């Protein structure tokens, strides 16, 4: 059977309109060209596909069967086209991410296995505070963004993929390190190391103190959670940070997690993109990877949690 894909596509349009003239208009062809192609198709199949009764065109039984077959072929072809695009995308695509600073403790470890799986993908990773990440989101600068809480004033898709917990960190030899159920009022009196304006951590910390009508005793403002952690170890004060900042620390005795009422505060890391954004194949693949393997890989690739933190996270009630 000498049937071409082009003839089948023409046939579908004629069958939809039941008119050679309208099919020709839709296809930007002349009416005789369409008729000629259908004639050749009919000849190859060996049965009439249309019958003309009066002025109207009808599909014959063979025509109806052919139409069903054509629809199946079209669907299969569309699926094949997507597969080809996917294969090309994963072969030489790029992935642009912007993440809040605290995410630098786990995002690079999540990227490791992903990049090994798709070695030809170029990844760019922008690490900055929440305020700047939100600016980049509204400027459509990257494919995906990673934040703790979803954006407040921007229409975005935000999906949780990894558990987080905020803890109160103090120097290892701090007098409160052996106390249980420390009230937040007591924490508010300690010298507090605060992140800079624009930081999501700062926003959350401020909300926690506001909720209890308290003000932290801010001793120093520091523009990085890593620097705050080092400052705590150096005895400059205490702070509230994501437990992820302890990622590779293991069982250090330089830092203590204080047992404060209402802590740890559990929350989720979200992967975010602008509503309506057409995600690339690579971005979609990374999203699926985060949802299916993110939590597991983050846990597997971090140093085992210090015993104290582990039991603390398990036991504490925590408030959102
Ligand atoms: P940050 O963000 O790095 O801006 O503090 C972390 C967070 O959103 O809690």
């Amino acid at each position: 059977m000498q049937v071409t894909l082009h003839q089948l596509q023409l046939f579908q349009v004629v069958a939809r309109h039941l008119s050679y003239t309208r099919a020709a208009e839709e296809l930007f062809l002349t009416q005789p060209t369409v008729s000629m192609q259908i004639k050749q198709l009919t000849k190859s199949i060996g049965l009439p596909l249309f019958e003309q009764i009066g002025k109207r065109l009808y599909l014959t039984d063979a025509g109806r069967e052919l139409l069903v077959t054509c629809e199946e072929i079209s669907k299969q072809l569309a699926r094949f086209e997507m597969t080809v695009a996917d294969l090309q995308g994963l072969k030489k695509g790029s992935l642009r991410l912007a993440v809040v600073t605290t995410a630098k403790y786990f995002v690079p470890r999540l990227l490791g296995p992903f990049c090994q799986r798709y070695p030809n993908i170029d990844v760019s990773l922008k690490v900055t505070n929440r305020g700047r990440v939100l600016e980049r989101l509204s400027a459509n600068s990257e494919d995906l963004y990673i934040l703790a809480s979803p954006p407040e004033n921007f229409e975005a898709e935000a999906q949780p993929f990894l558990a987080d917990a905020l803890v109160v960190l103090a120097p290892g030899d701090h007098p409160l390190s052996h106390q249980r159920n420390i009230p937040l009022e007591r924490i508010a009196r300690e010298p507090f190391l605060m992140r800079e304006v624009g930081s999501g951590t700062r926003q959350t910390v401020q909300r926690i103190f506001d909720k209890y009508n308290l003000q932290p005793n801010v001793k120093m403002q520091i523009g990085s959670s890593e620097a705050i952690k080092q400052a705590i170890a150096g005895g400059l004060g205490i702070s509230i940070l994501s437990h992820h900042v302890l990622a590779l620390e293991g069982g250090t005795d330089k830092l203590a997690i204080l047992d404060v009422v209402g802590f740890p505060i559990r929350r989720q890391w979200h992967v975010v993109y602008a509503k309506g954004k057409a995600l690339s194949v690579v971005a979609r693949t990374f999203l699926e990877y985060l949802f299916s393997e993110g939590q597991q890989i983050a846990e597997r690739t971090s140093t085992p949690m210090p015993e104290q933190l582990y039991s603390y996270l398990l036991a504490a009630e925590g408030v959102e």
Side-chain angles (χ1 to χ4, degrees), residues 131-175:
R132 301 241 165 76
V133 169
L134 290 177
E135 279 168 22
R136 299 183 75 85
L137 168 67
S138 60
N140 194 23
S141 307
E142 278 85 17
D143 300 304
L144 299 170
Y145 306 82
I146 291 174
L147 304 165
S149 24
E152 298 92 359
N153 304 315
F154 188 80
E155 281 237 69
E157 301 288 349
Q159 295 174 52
F161 70 95
L162 182 66
D164 186 23
L166 291 169
V167 293
V168 184
L169 286 178
D173 56 359
H174 195 281

Side-chain angles (χ1 to χ4, degrees), residues 100-102 129-130 148 195 198-201 267 269:
V100 290
T101 60
T102 317
N129 71 22
R130 178 182 175 85
R195 282 285 304 272
S199 148
T201 309
R267 56 179 196 171
W269 292 104

Side-chain angles (χ1 to χ4, degrees), residues 240-253:
I240 297 173
L241 295 173
S242 161
H243 81 283
H244 283 291
V245 306
L246 302 169
L248 298 174
E249 226 65 31
T252 178
D253 56 0

Side-chain angles (χ1 to χ4, degrees), residues 44-59:
S44 308
I45 289 174
L47 284 172
L49 301 169
F50 296 101
E51 54 192 359
Q52 179 127 21
I53 299 173
K55 285 199 163 173
R56 291 192 62 184
L57 206 58
Y58 294 88
L59 278 169

Side-chain angles (χ1 to χ4, degrees), residues 168 179-184 187 257-264 312:
V168 184
Q179 275 194 34
R180 294 281 153 263
N181 297 319
I182 307 162
L184 193 63
I187 295 302
I257 298 163
L258 300 187
D259 184 2
V260 178
V261 176
F263 280 82
Y312 179 61

Side-chain angles (χ1 to χ4, degrees), residues 174 176 185-192 216-218 238 258:
H174 195 281
L176 291 178
E185 291 85 349
R186 178 70 190 80
I187 295 302
R189 295 207 298 275
E190 287 294 308
F192 197 90
N217 169 24
V218 177
I238 68 164
L258 300 187

Side-chain angles (χ1 to χ4, degrees), residues 41-117:
L41 179 64
T42 307
K43 202 166 151 208
S44 308
I45 289 174
L47 284 172
L49 301 169
F50 296 101
E51 54 192 359
Q52 179 127 21
I53 299 173
K55 285 199 163 173
R56 291 192 62 184
L57 206 58
Y58 294 88
L59 278 169
T60 60
D61 286 347
R64 267 192 293 277
E65 283 299 321
L66 182 61
L67 187 58
V68 172
T69 309
C70 285
E71 280 158 4
E72 275 163 18
I73 293 173
S74 301
K75 268 190 219 148
Q76 292 286 355
L77 276 176
R79 228 171 280 148
F80 177 67
E81 259 171 37
M82 257 165 69
T83 308
V84 169
D86 283 9
L87 288 172
Q88 282 173 339
L90 291 174
K91 249 190 210 153
K92 51 182 163 61
S94 67
L95 176 66
R96 285 160 307 160
L97 300 174
V99 309
V100 290
T101 60
T102 317
K104 75 175 178 208
Y105 291 99
F106 57 86
V107 171
R109 283 184 283 122
L110 292 178
L111 279 172
F114 184 76
C115 291
Q116 272 162 17
R117 207 171 293 172

